[in-house]
Amino acid sequence: MEAFNDHIGSFYEALAEDKLDQLADALLSLRDAAATLPMEDPATVVLQEMLNDCENKASAKGQLALSKLHALVSTLNASLGRKSNDDTVLQYERLDSQLRTVINTFYTSYALSPSPANASSLAVLVEYVDAEFKQRASLRVDSLGKLKAAAPVNGHGYIDRSVHLEALNGLVHDVSFVVSLVEEANVSDLAIVFAPIHAAFVRGVLDILALYAADARLAAWEKKVSLRSTSPSNDLDDVEADESLQMVDLLLEELACILQLCLHYSAYAASFLVDQRGGSGDGGLSQKVHELNGVYLLLERFYIFQTMHKAVMIAEPQQIEPNVYAISTVEDASFVLDKAFTRATQSKNYHTVLSVVIAIVESLERTYMPSILDLPRRSFDMPLPVTSPTHHANDSSAELSTDDLSFSDALLQAVDADLTHQLQVDAKMMMAVVSAYMSWEYVGKIHVRITETQASHFAALPSLLECLPKPLSELQLEFHQVFTSGLHALYARDLQPKMDMRFHQSVLQWQYELSLQAYDYLEVHGSPLVALVQSMLKDKTLRRFRRGLSPPTFELMWRQVVRDMCDWIERGVTQKTFNDVGAMQLEKEVRHLSVLCGHFPAASDVSLRAEFTRLDQIVLLVNLAKASDVLEYDSIRDHMPRNEIEARLALRFRSDSIQRVMHQLKLT
């Protein structure tokens, strides 16, 4: 109530001095204060009558305020139509100042006028804002023309088209600035004021886009790409020129920014305008955006397929870690596809993103995947630590002619060439494995990005992943099969046969019916089993695989090696008989081998608990104090069939005690 009285004083003071701006401020403050008065208070009725009296006195000044607004707008409209040679920045500052003056005058007239009259004030404001924003849009287009004329032309006949994007950004900023000032005037219906702003904005945007299309030669590029995409030569080994792809990439970046601006503006305008159905309803903006989006998608698909094709054709081994190689296509393709996906998601348009994602999946399936499968057959030479197994820097025999070679030297050279060829084959296979693994990881990342994009922007729309011509999970599975089958081929051809043979030869030396003296001897000199595994870890082929495969891929191979090794050990020990000392020896050996194998991969220690599970179970069974103790181990009974438990217990215990235990197991 005290605030109401203060505003009453301010109102009558402004009324006495005929200060219309202060009078409007005081009247609006009175209205706000009256809205908070308690209705049950008798004094509120008196204060409400005082407010009504102030409203009547203010209405008497409304016509004067409206006349001032009319006069101001008439004067400024006349100045808007005149050409000016002033600097563009100065012209914008003048427009900003004049707009603020008009808004303030409108604010006063709108507040003091009764309901029919304030509609007149609003009409005057709309008239000025219409003319004012047309002037702003015209300034943007004229300024762009001047910048174009002064812009240098590059060697291909193009100018720097960032000026077009700056002009579009400037127009969007102008809309935001003008609307924010109008909002400060507490206009009840912003749509009436926004409509002429929007119309002038659309005309300005269309003018700028027409200039951009001409300067970028967009129609020519669209025609060229359309012909190139449908040409039969597209399937041959020809590669698009770097300059052409770079130009398409630049066009795509520009189009993505333009579309992002236009789409974001359309969403902003939709909050003010009712008719946003396109066509004449928005002045043709949505139609133009649709046209540009079509050009963007055409160029983007072309760019994806051509850059992928180029990456395959110019592929070469690329060192990603010391002695670890992947084909350069992996990095090139991921860079291109990430860029295309990022551009598409900037628009936040469902159909645009879906079209680009489909192109990405198709390029991976049609071009990228076959190139990975073909890597072992490619003709390039892999970098090897030693070019030839018998290479020596100062080998004087290299200077001998072919005629001077002895039979032994010629035979040595033939063997040398054969070994070098095999090293090349293995190196290409390892590169293919590493490349397929990296591709598998990359497809997984694409899957995650698509899922995140769906959740962020298109949660209510059909799943992007379900709309693809080929599920990403299938593509990822194919890459997984490529590197797992490649690892299996390397292992089965170069490692598994000789390791199997060495284990079978070594089994004859294993003894587990030991005396304490024999146990102490093995403690000092080492057991045949541990010595065998230690020698296998020094195998040149195995170490070459560890050096040439990436840590994740070698770990997969190493787990297969360890699984086979544990299987060979299991088959070997089941041919032996044990006493208590021999059981302790086996436990020590298995524990030693578990640590030894876990440390072998170069990157870090690997947990091999799953691979050693069955050996650990055998160790536990043969180290029981008596056969019946197995009844206390639920984990063994749950994971090992009864016939296997019986067979493992038979390695150490008498058959009668085992039979009693097995009978009890049947009862449990």
mmCIF file of all heavy atoms in Angstrom, residues 595-622:
data_model
loop_
_atom_site.group_PDB
_atom_site.id
_atom_site.type_symbol
_atom_site.label_atom_id
_atom_site.label_comp_id
_atom_site.label_asym_id
_atom_site.label_seq_id
_atom_site.Cartn_x
_atom_site.Cartn_y
_atom_site.Cartn_z
ATOM 1 N N VAL A 595 51.128 -66.840 -13.833
ATOM 2 C CA VAL A 595 51.808 -65.541 -13.710
ATOM 3 C C VAL A 595 52.635 -65.259 -14.954
ATOM 4 O O VAL A 595 52.630 -64.147 -15.501
ATOM 5 C CB VAL A 595 52.690 -65.524 -12.447
ATOM 6 C CG1 VAL A 595 53.515 -64.244 -12.386
ATOM 7 C CG2 VAL A 595 51.834 -65.672 -11.199
ATOM 8 N N LEU A 596 53.342 -66.278 -15.422
ATOM 9 C CA LEU A 596 54.216 -66.119 -16.591
ATOM 10 C C LEU A 596 53.410 -65.707 -17.824
ATOM 11 O O LEU A 596 53.782 -64.774 -18.549
ATOM 12 C CB LEU A 596 54.940 -67.441 -16.849
ATOM 13 C CG LEU A 596 56.159 -67.421 -17.779
ATOM 14 C CD1 LEU A 596 57.275 -66.577 -17.177
ATOM 15 C CD2 LEU A 596 56.650 -68.847 -18.017
ATOM 16 N N CYS A 597 52.305 -66.373 -18.049
ATOM 17 C CA CYS A 597 51.484 -66.064 -19.229
ATOM 18 C C CYS A 597 50.775 -64.722 -19.083
ATOM 19 O O CYS A 597 50.552 -64.017 -20.070
ATOM 20 C CB CYS A 597 50.455 -67.170 -19.452
ATOM 21 S SG CYS A 597 51.181 -68.759 -19.911
ATOM 22 N N GLY A 598 50.406 -64.372 -17.862
ATOM 23 C CA GLY A 598 49.746 -63.090 -17.651
ATOM 24 C C GLY A 598 50.662 -61.914 -17.914
ATOM 25 O O GLY A 598 50.203 -60.837 -18.318
ATOM 26 N N HIS A 599 51.970 -62.096 -17.718
ATOM 27 C CA HIS A 599 52.935 -61.016 -17.937
ATOM 28 C C HIS A 599 53.422 -60.941 -19.379
ATOM 29 O O HIS A 599 54.076 -59.964 -19.747
ATOM 30 C CB HIS A 599 54.160 -61.207 -17.034
ATOM 31 C CG HIS A 599 53.875 -60.975 -15.579
ATOM 32 N ND1 HIS A 599 52.804 -60.245 -15.139
ATOM 33 C CD2 HIS A 599 54.528 -61.388 -14.455
ATOM 34 C CE1 HIS A 599 52.794 -60.202 -13.818
ATOM 35 N NE2 HIS A 599 53.833 -60.897 -13.370
ATOM 36 N N PHE A 600 53.131 -61.930 -20.198
ATOM 37 C CA PHE A 600 53.766 -61.986 -21.517
ATOM 38 C C PHE A 600 53.319 -60.875 -22.469
ATOM 39 O O PHE A 600 54.159 -60.295 -23.159
ATOM 40 C CB PHE A 600 53.522 -63.356 -22.163
ATOM 41 C CG PHE A 600 54.206 -63.508 -23.493
ATOM 42 C CD1 PHE A 600 55.590 -63.602 -23.577
ATOM 43 C CD2 PHE A 600 53.472 -63.533 -24.672
ATOM 44 C CE1 PHE A 600 56.227 -63.733 -24.803
ATOM 45 C CE2 PHE A 600 54.093 -63.660 -25.901
ATOM 46 C CZ PHE A 600 55.481 -63.762 -25.966
ATOM 47 N N PRO A 601 52.017 -60.553 -22.585
ATOM 48 C CA PRO A 601 51.645 -59.445 -23.484
ATOM 49 C C PRO A 601 52.368 -58.163 -23.091
ATOM 50 O O PRO A 601 52.489 -57.833 -21.913
ATOM 51 C CB PRO A 601 50.130 -59.318 -23.285
ATOM 52 C CG PRO A 601 49.701 -60.676 -22.853
ATOM 53 C CD PRO A 601 50.824 -61.196 -22.007
ATOM 54 N N ALA A 602 52.850 -57.443 -24.102
ATOM 55 C CA ALA A 602 53.735 -56.310 -23.840
ATOM 56 C C ALA A 602 53.007 -55.131 -23.216
ATOM 57 O O ALA A 602 53.594 -54.369 -22.447
ATOM 58 C CB ALA A 602 54.401 -55.872 -25.149
ATOM 59 N N ALA A 603 51.717 -54.935 -23.547
ATOM 60 C CA ALA A 603 51.027 -53.719 -23.119
ATOM 61 C C ALA A 603 50.816 -53.685 -21.609
ATOM 62 O O ALA A 603 51.163 -52.723 -20.938
ATOM 63 C CB ALA A 603 49.683 -53.597 -23.836
ATOM 64 N N SER A 604 50.258 -54.747 -21.056
ATOM 65 C CA SER A 604 49.969 -54.784 -19.623
ATOM 66 C C SER A 604 49.671 -56.220 -19.230
ATOM 67 O O SER A 604 49.538 -57.102 -20.076
ATOM 68 C CB SER A 604 48.768 -53.885 -19.289
ATOM 69 O OG SER A 604 47.622 -54.332 -19.989
ATOM 70 N N ASP A 605 49.570 -56.431 -17.923
ATOM 71 C CA ASP A 605 49.227 -57.766 -17.444
ATOM 72 C C ASP A 605 47.802 -58.120 -17.865
ATOM 73 O O ASP A 605 46.917 -57.264 -17.928
ATOM 74 C CB ASP A 605 49.337 -57.823 -15.919
ATOM 75 C CG ASP A 605 50.792 -57.751 -15.468
ATOM 76 O OD1 ASP A 605 51.675 -57.862 -16.334
ATOM 77 O OD2 ASP A 605 51.027 -57.566 -14.267
ATOM 78 N N VAL A 606 47.604 -59.398 -18.152
ATOM 79 C CA VAL A 606 46.306 -59.884 -18.607
ATOM 80 C C VAL A 606 45.796 -60.906 -17.606
ATOM 81 O O VAL A 606 46.546 -61.785 -17.167
ATOM 82 C CB VAL A 606 46.427 -60.519 -20.011
ATOM 83 C CG1 VAL A 606 45.099 -61.130 -20.438
ATOM 84 C CG2 VAL A 606 46.881 -59.482 -21.025
ATOM 85 N N SER A 607 44.534 -60.784 -17.238
ATOM 86 C CA SER A 607 43.927 -61.771 -16.351
ATOM 87 C C SER A 607 43.518 -62.995 -17.164
ATOM 88 O O SER A 607 42.738 -62.893 -18.112
ATOM 89 C CB SER A 607 42.698 -61.168 -15.661
ATOM 90 O OG SER A 607 42.038 -62.152 -14.898
ATOM 91 N N LEU A 608 44.067 -64.153 -16.783
ATOM 92 C CA LEU A 608 43.796 -65.396 -17.511
ATOM 93 C C LEU A 608 43.073 -66.401 -16.620
ATOM 94 O O LEU A 608 43.218 -67.615 -16.788
ATOM 95 C CB LEU A 608 45.116 -65.991 -18.018
ATOM 96 C CG LEU A 608 45.905 -65.101 -18.987
ATOM 97 C CD1 LEU A 608 47.291 -65.680 -19.234
ATOM 98 C CD2 LEU A 608 45.162 -64.946 -20.306
ATOM 99 N N ARG A 609 42.303 -65.893 -15.684
ATOM 100 C CA ARG A 609 41.623 -66.778 -14.737
ATOM 101 C C ARG A 609 40.688 -67.745 -15.459
ATOM 102 O O ARG A 609 40.631 -68.934 -15.131
ATOM 103 C CB ARG A 609 40.838 -65.940 -13.736
ATOM 104 C CG ARG A 609 40.094 -66.764 -12.699
ATOM 105 C CD ARG A 609 39.396 -65.870 -11.695
ATOM 106 N NE ARG A 609 40.361 -65.053 -10.968
ATOM 107 C CZ ARG A 609 40.007 -64.144 -10.053
ATOM 108 N NH1 ARG A 609 38.721 -63.942 -9.786
ATOM 109 N NH2 ARG A 609 40.925 -63.443 -9.427
ATOM 110 N N ALA A 610 39.959 -67.244 -16.457
ATOM 111 C CA ALA A 610 39.011 -68.113 -17.166
ATOM 112 C C ALA A 610 39.738 -69.227 -17.905
ATOM 113 O O ALA A 610 39.279 -70.380 -17.930
ATOM 114 C CB ALA A 610 38.176 -67.283 -18.141
ATOM 115 N N GLU A 611 40.879 -68.886 -18.520
ATOM 116 C CA GLU A 611 41.621 -69.895 -19.286
ATOM 117 C C GLU A 611 42.213 -70.972 -18.376
ATOM 118 O O GLU A 611 42.347 -72.137 -18.779
ATOM 119 C CB GLU A 611 42.739 -69.219 -20.083
ATOM 120 C CG GLU A 611 42.280 -68.443 -21.308
ATOM 121 C CD GLU A 611 41.609 -67.121 -20.983
ATOM 122 O OE1 GLU A 611 41.683 -66.680 -19.813
ATOM 123 O OE2 GLU A 611 41.004 -66.517 -21.870
ATOM 124 N N PHE A 612 42.580 -70.610 -17.157
ATOM 125 C CA PHE A 612 43.216 -71.559 -16.240
ATOM 126 C C PHE A 612 42.208 -72.241 -15.302
ATOM 127 O O PHE A 612 42.616 -72.970 -14.402
ATOM 128 C CB PHE A 612 44.280 -70.841 -15.399
ATOM 129 C CG PHE A 612 45.621 -70.739 -16.079
ATOM 130 C CD1 PHE A 612 45.907 -69.691 -16.926
ATOM 131 C CD2 PHE A 612 46.589 -71.713 -15.879
ATOM 132 C CE1 PHE A 612 47.139 -69.591 -17.559
ATOM 133 C CE2 PHE A 612 47.827 -71.633 -16.502
ATOM 134 C CZ PHE A 612 48.099 -70.571 -17.349
ATOM 135 N N THR A 613 40.919 -72.013 -15.528
ATOM 136 C CA THR A 613 39.913 -72.531 -14.589
ATOM 137 C C THR A 613 39.984 -74.048 -14.454
ATOM 138 O O THR A 613 40.018 -74.598 -13.337
ATOM 139 C CB THR A 613 38.503 -72.110 -15.046
ATOM 140 O OG1 THR A 613 38.407 -70.689 -15.002
ATOM 141 C CG2 THR A 613 37.439 -72.717 -14.140
ATOM 142 N N ARG A 614 40.013 -74.759 -15.569
ATOM 143 C CA ARG A 614 39.993 -76.225 -15.495
ATOM 144 C C ARG A 614 41.278 -76.764 -14.867
ATOM 145 O O ARG A 614 41.242 -77.725 -14.082
ATOM 146 C CB ARG A 614 39.781 -76.816 -16.888
ATOM 147 C CG ARG A 614 38.353 -76.610 -17.404
ATOM 148 C CD ARG A 614 38.153 -77.281 -18.747
ATOM 149 N NE ARG A 614 38.360 -78.716 -18.688
ATOM 150 C CZ ARG A 614 37.432 -79.596 -18.285
ATOM 151 N NH1 ARG A 614 36.237 -79.179 -17.905
ATOM 152 N NH2 ARG A 614 37.696 -80.889 -18.268
ATOM 153 N N LEU A 615 42.411 -76.160 -15.192
ATOM 154 C CA LEU A 615 43.659 -76.604 -14.554
ATOM 155 C C LEU A 615 43.609 -76.354 -13.052
ATOM 156 O O LEU A 615 44.077 -77.186 -12.255
ATOM 157 C CB LEU A 615 44.853 -75.878 -15.169
ATOM 158 C CG LEU A 615 45.374 -76.401 -16.514
ATOM 159 C CD1 LEU A 615 46.607 -75.622 -16.941
ATOM 160 C CD2 LEU A 615 45.697 -77.890 -16.439
ATOM 161 N N ASP A 616 43.060 -75.206 -12.666
ATOM 162 C CA ASP A 616 42.943 -74.919 -11.231
ATOM 163 C C ASP A 616 42.055 -75.951 -10.539
ATOM 164 O O ASP A 616 42.311 -76.348 -9.390
ATOM 165 C CB ASP A 616 42.369 -73.512 -11.025
ATOM 166 C CG ASP A 616 43.356 -72.417 -11.421
ATOM 167 O OD1 ASP A 616 44.570 -72.690 -11.401
ATOM 168 O OD2 ASP A 616 42.907 -71.295 -11.741
ATOM 169 N N GLN A 617 41.009 -76.389 -11.225
ATOM 170 C CA GLN A 617 40.137 -77.412 -10.638
ATOM 171 C C GLN A 617 40.872 -78.743 -10.473
ATOM 172 O O GLN A 617 40.729 -79.433 -9.453
ATOM 173 C CB GLN A 617 38.894 -77.591 -11.514
ATOM 174 C CG GLN A 617 37.952 -76.392 -11.496
ATOM 175 C CD GLN A 617 36.837 -76.513 -12.509
ATOM 176 O OE1 GLN A 617 36.914 -77.319 -13.436
ATOM 177 N NE2 GLN A 617 35.798 -75.704 -12.346
ATOM 178 N N ILE A 618 41.675 -79.104 -11.480
ATOM 179 C CA ILE A 618 42.452 -80.350 -11.376
ATOM 180 C C ILE A 618 43.445 -80.252 -10.231
ATOM 181 O O ILE A 618 43.622 -81.200 -9.437
ATOM 182 C CB ILE A 618 43.174 -80.637 -12.708
ATOM 183 C CG1 ILE A 618 42.153 -80.934 -13.808
ATOM 184 C CG2 ILE A 618 44.150 -81.794 -12.557
ATOM 185 C CD1 ILE A 618 42.772 -81.084 -15.179
ATOM 186 N N VAL A 619 44.113 -79.094 -10.129
ATOM 187 C CA VAL A 619 45.078 -78.888 -9.043
ATOM 188 C C VAL A 619 44.390 -79.040 -7.693
ATOM 189 O O VAL A 619 44.918 -79.674 -6.764
ATOM 190 C CB VAL A 619 45.729 -77.498 -9.176
ATOM 191 C CG1 VAL A 619 46.475 -77.120 -7.900
ATOM 192 C CG2 VAL A 619 46.677 -77.466 -10.364
ATOM 193 N N LEU A 620 43.207 -78.474 -7.574
ATOM 194 C CA LEU A 620 42.480 -78.564 -6.312
ATOM 195 C C LEU A 620 42.125 -80.016 -5.987
ATOM 196 O O LEU A 620 42.296 -80.477 -4.843
ATOM 197 C CB LEU A 620 41.210 -77.714 -6.395
ATOM 198 C CG LEU A 620 40.303 -77.723 -5.166
ATOM 199 C CD1 LEU A 620 41.035 -77.191 -3.941
ATOM 200 C CD2 LEU A 620 39.043 -76.906 -5.423
ATOM 201 N N LEU A 621 41.677 -80.762 -6.987
ATOM 202 C CA LEU A 621 41.252 -82.141 -6.748
ATOM 203 C C LEU A 621 42.424 -83.038 -6.355
ATOM 204 O O LEU A 621 42.305 -83.871 -5.442
ATOM 205 C CB LEU A 621 40.553 -82.695 -7.988
ATOM 206 C CG LEU A 621 39.162 -82.114 -8.290
ATOM 207 C CD1 LEU A 621 38.652 -82.612 -9.635
ATOM 208 C CD2 LEU A 621 38.180 -82.480 -7.188
ATOM 209 N N VAL A 622 43.558 -82.893 -7.044
ATOM 210 C CA VAL A 622 44.682 -83.791 -6.726
ATOM 211 C C VAL A 622 45.386 -83.379 -5.441
ATOM 212 O O VAL A 622 46.179 -84.161 -4.895
ATOM 213 C CB VAL A 622 45.693 -83.850 -7.895
ATOM 214 C CG1 VAL A 622 45.050 -84.410 -9.143
ATOM 215 C CG2 VAL A 622 46.317 -82.490 -8.158
#
